[in-house]
Amino acid sequence: MERPVFRRRGILVSLVIGITGSIASGKSTACQYLQSKGATHCDADKLVHRMYDPEKPAFHRIVKAFGKTVVGDDGFIDRKILGSKVFGNPEEMARLTEAIGDIFAEVSGVMKDWRQSLDPNEIGLMEAVNFIEAGYGQFSDVTWLFAADNELAMSRLMARNNLDQEAAKQRLASQQKWEDRAPAADVVTHNDGTIEQLEQKVELEISQILSKHKTGTLPTSKYMSWYDKKI
């Protein structure tokens, strides 16, 4: 299978990092920290949400598949209502994915564009819960996985999203375990402490990644061999 080539004739190009992990694992907090340091960030969820704005083809497909009750008073798809219909239900999630359209092309397209639009010393962060499973790691230099204790993640999720325990448990149940994702990740960061402790870990890791990238010693992502075994 032909691979994208990101370094040609010793010329340094922008660094693209995939940020992933289950919900409430700290990946968004890590992205916010790195963005504050100058990194360019794209949240794949928000990118996909724009794919089913009113009057876009996916909007009508979703309404047809799940009914008019998923449309909020503002005319947009109410993601909370839609989420209650698909989280924890693989068949319904598959129906939603099909209705949205070519998510892969949308997300990978952003990473491809970064190779041209970002300067050699800039960093692009693609944040996606399913970064590993979806195949996006083909287009990044590093796949960075965030993990958290399940009970801690549940309490964070309940507080952040104002969910009861059953709803939070349902959302977490729809996520892959970090242990299953780890073989495809170049970096695994455990977020079981404070925000300050997480930021310290992120600062240490990004410094090491950047150092290797700038000296041309950043190894080929582990994701590539993992992905080859999966296809």
Side-chain angles (χ1 to χ4, degrees), residues 11-99:
I11 299 173
L12 185 68
V13 295
S14 56
L15 177 66
V16 177
I17 301 175
I19 304 290
T20 191
S22 296
I23 192 168
S25 62
K27 61 185 181 298
S28 295
T29 301
C31 285
Q32 289 168 8
Y33 175 77
L34 292 170
Q35 193 175 13
S36 75
K37 300 293 183 178
T40 295
H41 171 248
C42 178
D43 184 330
D45 279 348
K46 292 179 180 177
L47 185 67
V48 171
H49 295 162
R50 300 284 69 78
M51 292 178 68
Y52 53 83
D53 279 345
E55 302 311 318
K56 289 190 176 180
F59 176 90
H60 301 290
R61 290 195 295 264
I62 290 173
V63 172
K64 183 177 180 180
F66 296 97
K68 294 181 179 179
T69 57
V70 300
V71 180
D73 294 337
D74 59 359
F76 286 77
I77 298 292
D78 187 317
R79 294 194 295 274
K80 188 172 184 180
I81 295 175
L82 184 61
S84 69
K85 293 178 179 291
V86 301
F87 279 119
N89 189 324
E91 291 183 1
E92 291 299 277
M93 183 64 80
R95 273 214 307 159
L96 173 59
T97 301
E98 183 179 359

Side-chain angles (χ1 to χ4, degrees), residues 112-213:
K112 291 176 183 178
D113 287 345
W114 281 341
R115 298 296 181 183
Q116 305 298 323
S117 62
L118 296 183
D119 291 335
N121 291 318
E122 290 186 298
I123 302 172
L125 307 171
M126 177 57 73
E127 178 186 354
V129 171
N130 65 336
F131 188 89
I132 289 172
E133 298 86 350
Y136 302 140
Q138 302 171 74
F139 307 98
S140 68
D141 303 296
V142 175
T143 295
W144 193 342
L145 173 65
F146 286 81
D149 173 79
N150 199 59
E151 291 300 318
L152 180 57
M154 185 177 297
S155 65
R156 287 173 179 165
L157 186 57
M158 290 171 65
R160 188 188 72 188
N161 291 30
N162 194 28
L163 299 175
D164 60 29
Q165 187 174 32
E166 187 57 36
K169 186 182 296 185
Q170 184 182 52
R171 292 206 176 191
L172 284 170
S174 70
Q175 310 281 300
Q176 288 277 358
K177 294 181 179 179
W178 74 264
E179 294 92 340
D180 296 332
R181 288 171 163 159
D186 302 294
V187 181
V188 180
T189 296
H190 291 270
N191 175 30
D192 295 324
T194 64
I195 291 177
E196 290 74 20
Q197 289 172 326
L198 175 62
E199 290 178 347
Q200 289 173 2
K201 290 182 178 181
V202 170
E203 182 62 41
L204 178 61
E205 291 291 357
I206 196 63
S207 296
Q208 294 174 347
I209 292 169
L210 280 172
S211 176
K212 292 177 182 178
H213 177 64

Side-chain angles (χ1 to χ4, degrees), residues 208-222:
Q208 294 174 347
I209 292 169
L210 280 172
S211 176
K212 292 177 182 178
H213 177 64
K214 290 177 180 178
T215 58
T217 58
L218 188 66
T220 300
S221 175
K222 288 169 58 179

